Amino acid sequence: MIDKSLQQLLRQTSNIVALTGAGVSAESGIPTFRDAQQGMWANFDPMELATLEGFLRQPHKVWDWYQQRREMAAKAQPNAAHLALAEWQEQLEQCLIVTQNVDGLHQRAGSLHVIELHGNLHRDRPISQQLPAEKAADLPRCPETGNVLRPDVVWFGEMLPEGAMEQALSAIEVSDLVLSIGTSAVVQPAASIPLHALENGVPVVEINPETTELSSAADWSLRGSAADVVPQLVAAAQLHYSRDRLSR
Ligand code: OAD
């Protein structure tokens, strides 16, 4: 799976950006969004559950769904892909994880440099709108402002956290390898991250069991699960670090 030229590249690499999506947490038991049968958007309506308009219409329904997702994420454990990336981060000069996931599993695996493009499931933030009293009854409220709280995730049509994309794109410009792991590469602006790498002559490796929008453009498209392939990549790079250490 890892050919000679990729192995060579991995051994020379000291600065990586890894874009991750729902597929990286699939083997921790968290469903992806676009899987035909078990994907969340096959069973739930994103316009109801992942838009501000949907929240303002049915805040209790949205909160119930996020509460279930919170509990699921809290019970889940980081898998071999999260752990391998965290280990790699310790060894590389720079290894920035740019994730679309809101489950916090990269951090729980020990990764320190993580940009959360779509926010974090475990945090709340107040809404600026006022809800009618009967709709707002029993909803969590901000202790300071008294405003109704919502999950601190990015919903469709909303802006990403300030500076997140800029930081990711600048990191790519000085990186020597970009990984796109477990993402269908269709949701913008995250999907433009690996394309930005290609435009800047930075090689891109995709890890996904399925073909995606990115597959034909990526320099390497590795067909396999994240928990299987990511540790192999880190192991292939490792030979370089240990040799390096020995020679010092
Ligand atoms: P998707 O559900 O669109 O895509 C998940 C990808 O993971 C697919 O390409 C799968 O083939 C792949 N996959 C499945 N199992 C895998 C495994 N074990 N290892 C590696 N890959 C695997 O999820 P995202 O691309 O993350 O946004 O979706 C992006 C955004 O769309 C999400 O952040 C979410 C969603 O709507 C918001 O909620 C704002």
Side-chain angles (χ1 to χ4, degrees), residues 2 24 80-85 88 179 181 207 222 225-236:
I2 301 177
V24 88
H82 299 107
L83 294 168
L85 283 172
W88 214 359
L179 307 175
I181 313 170
I207 296 116
L222 308 179
S225 85
D228 185 27
V229 178
V230 178
Q232 291 184 43
L233 291 176
V234 180

Side-chain angles (χ1 to χ4, degrees), residues 155-166:
W155 284 329
F156 288 103
E158 293 186 321
M159 303 286 284
L160 267 48
E162 207 183 327
M165 269 306 280
E166 291 76 2

Side-chain angles (χ1 to χ4, degrees), residues 48-170:
E48 270 190 10
L49 298 167
T51 62
L52 178 62
E53 295 72 25
F55 179 78
L56 296 177
R57 258 195 313 272
Q58 303 184 84
H60 289 92
K61 181 174 183 170
V62 174
W63 259 123
D64 285 349
W65 191 64
Y66 278 93
Q67 202 51 46
Q68 283 172 28
R69 286 185 59 199
R70 260 183 197 180
E71 284 162 21
M72 186 191 284
K75 279 190 209 136
Q77 295 302 322
N79 65 50
H82 299 107
L83 294 168
L85 283 172
E87 183 191 331
W88 214 359
Q89 210 167 49
E90 280 181 20
Q91 296 154 348
L92 288 163
E93 220 164 86
Q94 170 92 300
C95 175
L96 179 67
I97 295 170
V98 181
T99 189
Q100 297 164 86
N101 298 344
V102 294
D103 54 33
L105 288 179
H106 283 300
Q107 293 90 331
R108 280 180 47 207
S111 283
L112 297 176
H113 312 295
V114 183
I115 297 181
E116 292 179 315
L117 290 178
H118 294 165
N120 188 304
L121 192 54
H122 302 287
R123 281 194 313 256
D124 305 327
R125 68 180 157 95
I127 59 167
S128 47
Q129 295 81 357
Q130 293 297 327
L131 284 174
E134 69 278 11
K135 236 182 208 178
D138 304 328
L139 289 174
R141 284 178 182 276
C142 169
E144 281 151 34
T145 61
N147 284 15
V148 165
L149 292 171
R150 56 167 277 183
D152 191 6
V153 298
V154 176
W155 284 329
F156 288 103
E158 293 186 321
M159 303 286 284
L160 267 48
E162 207 183 327
M165 269 306 280
E166 291 76 2
Q167 223 183 313
L169 297 180
S170 320

